[in-house]
Amino acid sequence: MEITGVSDLPLHYGRVPNWLIPIMRRLSRAIMDVMLLEWGPGKVVERLSNPLWFQGFNNVIGMDWDSSGSTTVTLGILKEVTRPQDDGLAILGGKGRNSLNVPLELRKLPGRFDVDVEKLERTSRLVAKVDSTLLQDGYELYHHSLILDEKGRWGVIQQGMNLETKFARRYHWISVANPVDELREGIAGAYNGVVLNVHESHEAKEVIIDLLGEDPRRISRQYLQLMSYIRGNSIESWLGLGTLGAISREARMIYMKPVDVNKVMKILNHVREFSPTNLQDALLLGLGPSTVRALSLISDLIYSEPPSYRDPVNYPYDPFKYAFAIGGKDGVPYPVRRDVAFEVIQTLEDIVSQTKLDKKDKSLALNKLRELKLGTSKRS
């Protein structure tokens, strides 16, 4: 079966109504209880790491089906209602400055969490670097949440905003060993076309590592000459300029936003002092978007190892149908129906309470939930 769908995340102004927030909290907690009983915390991490499954969850609790706020509000609500000591699940970080709190929050986790804090802190930083530096798609990150279970299985959800289009993208990751060389779980957002995507080019990454060992003055000189070439100088004028003469006459010109050469020189000098042997270390030493753009251009036009220019956004499935559960904050597909929301909450809470009273009846209670779901599907 082919699964397709679309998820645009435009910037919506305004706040969640005060009357809706308690409903979202209670419904989120009730759903979380059922998921933890049914799957355990590791599976919850996996599900939330699916870009549009997350969007479907957002729709069920009454948030906008297509809003950039669906990420920040839903994760904020989930963080509020999650109890790490009881659930074996934690949600760290958040929007804006809260995203910087991941290291501190990792060190405050309850004792039941058997995790390598320093490794997770490094992973969190690398994931942010990959989606802001190795992928440059026009979206500036402003939200970063780390979702973690007690055994160290993790997921990252972060969001960026395109300040010109006012659309957002949500980036999802799940427990990869090396974010620099392994792919995300997925990206939700509108397709933009050509972007700078060093993340998906193994050859370009190898050239960049080699270039980091070069004299920064030489790299700066090559970059300025390449920019001059792109602006219209004939390639014949380059003959006899060492490696610059290797530029292909058929090279495809991909526009890259110009960089501040002095800033790039400063970063290159700093990184070179530590002689990193891999891109992970270079990124954590301060290698940023401007420097990677310059090095990518050199890798492409001089060494014939271009980065990928493919936009990696994808769409696992369309979550809009889940907006029909209780309605949406902005009235799409209809205003939130409080009576339906409280009926759903009460049903879920009763099932969970019954299961907790007698663990032997867990399967029976969950079967009742499935029967309820099937009956609802038939009526709709």
Side-chain angles (χ1 to χ4, degrees):
M1 178 180 67
E2 182 181 3
I3 302 177
T4 59
V6 175
S7 176
D8 292 339
L9 301 175
L11 174 63
H12 282 194
Y13 296 96
R15 304 176 64 87
V16 178
N18 290 334
W19 60 265
L20 181 55
I21 293 176
I23 293 176
M24 285 182 168
R25 287 176 180 147
R26 193 173 166 189
L27 183 53
S28 294
R29 183 64 229 186
I31 295 172
M32 182 70 71
D33 279 333
V34 173
M35 292 193 298
L36 290 169
L37 285 169
E38 177 79 332
W39 302 329
K43 192 69 173 180
V44 174
V45 172
E46 179 183 323
R47 288 299 178 95
L48 291 175
S49 296
N50 180 298
L52 298 186
W53 191 95
F54 175 89
Q55 187 70 28
F57 180 93
N58 154 86
N59 294 349
V60 166
I61 67 172
M63 191 56 194
D64 301 334
W65 76 276
D66 66 341
S67 167
S68 62
S70 64
T71 305
T72 57
V73 172
T74 301
L75 283 166
I77 293 288
L78 283 173
K79 185 173 182 177
E80 286 183 25
V81 302
T82 300
R83 300 186 290 266
Q85 179 60 47
D86 299 327
D87 301 334
L89 180 76
I91 298 176
L92 315 178
K95 180 181 178 181
R97 290 186 177 274
N98 290 328
S99 65
L100 304 177
N101 293 335
V102 170
L104 178 62
E105 292 176 345
L106 278 170
R107 286 163 174 78
K108 291 184 177 180
L109 287 171
R112 68 178 290 180
F113 281 76
D114 183 18
V115 300
D116 186 332
V117 171
E118 291 185 359
K119 182 178 179 180
L120 284 168
E121 181 181 349
R122 175 184 170 91
T123 296
S124 172
R125 292 175 60 200
L126 274 176
V127 167
K129 276 288 192 176
V130 169
D131 285 339
S132 61
T133 299
L134 297 190
L135 173 64
Q136 298 183 39
D137 54 6
Y139 292 80
E140 295 185 17
L141 296 184
Y142 67 96
H143 186 108
H144 177 96
S145 289
L146 176 67
I147 306 168
L148 182 68
D149 82 346
E150 59 190 338
K151 295 181 179 179
R153 185 172 174 81
W154 60 269
V156 167
I157 300 175
Q158 45 193 17
Q159 183 158 286
M161 178 66 67
N162 186 310
L163 300 179
E164 294 181 2
T165 65
K166 304 302 181 184
F167 273 74
R169 277 190 177 187
R170 191 169 60 242
Y171 309 81
H172 289 244
W173 294 78
I174 179 73
S175 290
V176 296
N178 180 2
V180 169
D181 292 327
E182 297 181 67
L183 297 181
R184 308 163 190 80
E185 184 73 3
I187 301 178
Y191 183 76
N192 272 2
V194 175
V195 304
L196 177 60
N197 184 1
V198 178
H199 186 223
E200 295 187 12
S201 175
H202 175 72
E203 293 77 11
K205 284 186 284 189
E206 286 192 334
V207 172
I208 287 173
I209 283 294
D210 290 340
L211 289 172
L212 290 175
E214 296 279 351
D215 185 338
R217 291 172 296 181
R218 180 170 179 265
I219 292 175
S220 173
R221 186 167 58 251
Q222 288 180 333
Y223 173 76
L224 291 173
Q225 290 172 323
L226 287 173
M227 290 303 293
S228 177
Y229 166 51
I230 290 174
R231 292 188 182 103
N233 289 350
S234 67
I235 194 168
E236 284 76 15
S237 65
W238 296 52
L239 298 178
L241 294 178
T243 55
L244 292 177
I247 297 176
S248 169
R249 293 173 184 268
E250 298 178 358
R252 181 172 62 148
M253 291 294 96
I254 300 295
Y255 174 77
M256 296 185 192
K257 184 179 177 181
V259 304
D260 182 335
V261 175
N262 291 327
K263 179 181 177 181
V264 168
M265 285 273 289
K266 183 178 179 180
I267 295 296
L268 288 173
N269 277 309
H270 172 71
V271 173
R272 193 182 183 207
E273 287 180 12
F274 294 89
S275 302
T277 58
N278 57 65
L279 203 49
Q280 300 97 297
D281 291 340
L283 288 169
L284 295 178
L285 284 169
L287 193 67
S290 294
T291 308
V292 166
R293 281 203 304 276
L295 297 177
S296 296
L297 189 64
I298 293 171
S299 174
D300 189 352
L301 295 187
I302 294 180
Y303 297 98
S304 300
E305 293 293 356
S308 170
Y309 296 109
R310 185 187 75 87
D311 190 338
V313 71
N314 55 13
Y315 315 98
Y317 58 84
D318 185 349
F320 179 65
K321 62 182 179 181
Y322 296 100
F324 287 87
I326 65 170
K329 174 177 74 70
D330 284 354
V332 180
Y334 53 81
V336 172
R337 291 184 55 183
R338 301 189 204 190
D339 56 337
V340 174
F342 284 117
E343 182 179 349
V344 171
I345 291 170
Q346 191 63 57
T347 301
L348 294 175
E349 290 178 343
D350 287 347
I351 290 172
V352 172
S353 296
Q354 179 183 343
T355 303
K356 289 182 176 179
L357 286 173
D358 187 354
K359 292 184 178 180
K360 293 181 181 179
D361 292 336
K362 175 182 176 181
S363 297
L364 177 62
L366 292 173
N367 284 335
K368 287 183 178 181
L369 177 61
R370 296 188 189 98
E371 290 172 6
L372 175 66
K373 178 182 177 182
L374 288 173
T376 304
S377 300
K378 290 177 181 179
R379 288 195 298 274
S380 60

